[in-house]
Amino acid sequence: MADKIPLLTPYKMGKFELSHRVVLAPLTRQRSYGNVPQPHAILYYSQRTTKGGLLISEATGVSDTAQGYPETPGIWTKQQVEAWKPIVDAVHAKGGVFFCQIWHVGRVSNTGFQPNAQAPISSTDKGLLNQFMKDGVNDRTDEYGGSLENRCRFALEVVDAIVKEIGADKVGIRLSPYADYMQSGDSNPKALGLYMAEALSKYKILYCHMVEPRMKAVGEKVECPHSLVPMRKVFKGTFISAGGYDMEDGNNAVAENRTDLVAYGRLFLANPDLPKRFELNAPLNKYNRETFYTPDPVIGYTDYPFLETTA
């Protein structure tokens, strides 16, 4: 039956042999006390791992100035790196592929999260990478502001630096050109997405993960299944789409070659065996939005039942 389900067909992503195309999307979790990943994260990620499946970690801060939400994990200290190791090992032990989603929240932060209560590090009083790119935020007048090329310069410089450090085959990026979270909008998101997709191809990075405009704002869903196709066509690596997909949406996107992989957030959170449920066309657990951002190590995190348990 899996052979008839586009989402469950194998895919080669660089040197990684994926057994299916259902990806755990990077989410914002607030369960890492003191910014150190906790042992319960081992259970969370290992529950969602399948042999040859791709998981992308929760958003992980790159410095003590990167934080904008309480109890989100970091990766800038030796203690944090050591805490991540058993989590990664647990995923690898089950044959999974694991990428770390690193971030810096820029202006979303405030003095309460910053060392010595300093002001957040930002492109202006309004921005960082995503915030640099958006003309609704970036009001700089130097080489990092104004034109589309200038606004994208910093993001591409970061990509270039990381590629030189660890190799392009280990680098991916997540872009949300259509999103308007925290008033970070752009007047021409299609042009922004196209420019970045084409520019990123020159670095030969592994994947580009892009969010559709139908998830433009929280709770606002607009159908636009072909919005990412121009970006998908110009990006030469693996293309990952996200944006409130259900199983039918994902199957259609893969079958019509509109994407290579589909990232699921809320559905994967509530269904640790999501690929198996897709394979069997089984009912899905309903997610509880009220527990998305709670600090509890179990509730809304590792307590959603597997199909066998439900049955």
Side-chain angles (χ1 to χ4, degrees):
M1 185 175 180
D3 293 337
K4 301 178 182 179
I5 302 175
L7 280 171
L8 301 183
T9 55
Y11 177 79
K12 184 173 175 59
M13 183 180 74
K15 64 182 180 182
F16 302 105
E17 299 284 352
L18 303 184
S19 60
H20 58 77
R21 301 172 186 240
V22 181
V23 178
L24 173 65
L27 302 169
T28 302
R29 302 268 67 85
Q30 297 177 225
R31 305 172 196 259
S32 299
Y33 316 124
N35 305 128
V36 178
Q38 301 298 306
H40 49 259
I42 298 174
L43 179 60
Y44 174 76
Y45 285 111
S46 62
Q47 280 181 338
R48 286 154 185 79
T49 303
T50 56
K51 185 175 183 180
L54 173 60
L55 308 183
I56 306 176
S57 81
E58 59 202 279
T60 305
V62 295
S63 74
D64 59 355
T65 66
Q67 304 303 96
Y69 300 92
E71 311 300 356
T72 55
I75 198 167
W76 69 86
T77 69
K78 183 177 180 180
Q79 181 188 18
Q80 293 164 343
V81 172
E82 291 300 316
W84 270 113
K85 286 182 179 179
I87 301 169
V88 176
D89 289 343
V91 172
H92 289 170
K94 294 182 68 174
V97 178
F98 203 21
F99 272 67
C100 183
Q101 176 82 15
I102 59 175
W103 74 345
H104 192 298
V105 301
R107 73 189 182 99
V108 173
S109 187
N110 59 59
T111 56
F113 291 105
Q114 296 298 307
N116 303 316
Q118 66 191 39
I121 295 176
S122 173
S123 62
T124 66
D125 60 348
K126 303 175 186 174
L128 213 55
L129 290 181
N130 182 60
Q131 298 157 11
F132 266 85
M133 292 185 252
K134 303 293 184 68
D135 63 9
V137 176
N138 189 338
D139 58 5
R140 297 174 72 110
T141 58
D142 60 7
E143 69 271 29
Y144 294 100
S147 69
L148 179 58
E149 180 181 4
N150 282 358
R151 285 183 279 115
C152 293
R153 187 186 307 276
F154 182 46
L156 295 174
E157 287 179 351
V158 171
V159 169
D160 182 58
I162 297 174
V163 165
K164 288 177 179 176
E165 183 70 24
I166 66 173
D169 61 332
K170 302 183 187 72
V171 179
I173 192 169
R174 182 179 187 269
L175 299 172
S176 305
Y178 292 96
D180 193 19
Y181 294 112
M182 301 293 181
Q183 296 79 49
S184 293
D186 192 85
S187 62
N188 193 341
K190 182 179 179 181
L192 173 59
L194 274 170
Y195 180 87
M196 283 298 296
E198 191 167 22
L200 288 164
S201 288
K202 299 174 184 177
Y203 295 95
K204 300 181 179 179
I205 63 172
L206 187 63
Y207 71 75
C208 178
H209 174 202
M210 202 169 287
V211 182
E212 288 193 346
R214 62 175 168 177
M215 298 305 290
K216 185 175 180 179
V218 176
E220 178 184 345
K221 184 175 178 179
V222 180
E223 293 302 327
C224 45
H226 300 282
S227 60
L228 301 183
V229 172
M231 296 74 159
R232 191 266 198 284
K233 287 182 177 179
V234 300
F235 182 71
K236 304 305 180 185
T238 294
F239 197 86
I240 306 175
S241 296
Y245 280 77
D246 58 22
M247 185 177 74
E248 183 180 5
D249 293 332
N251 278 326
N252 289 339
V254 173
E256 295 169 11
N257 200 31
R258 289 187 273 116
T259 194
D260 296 308
L261 310 175
V262 180
Y264 290 88
R266 291 165 293 179
L267 294 188
F268 224 145
L269 170 68
N271 298 273
D273 50 0
L274 187 64
K276 172 63 70 174
R277 290 178 188 252
F278 282 174
E279 179 183 352
L280 301 176
N281 198 23
L284 301 181
N285 298 324
K286 293 183 179 180
Y287 54 80
N288 182 1
R289 187 181 295 276
E290 293 182 1
T291 62
F292 281 178
Y293 305 108
T294 60
D296 194 283
V298 175
I299 297 173
Y301 191 56
T302 61
D303 60 341
Y304 286 104
F306 285 79
L307 190 60
E308 293 83 356
T309 308
T310 305

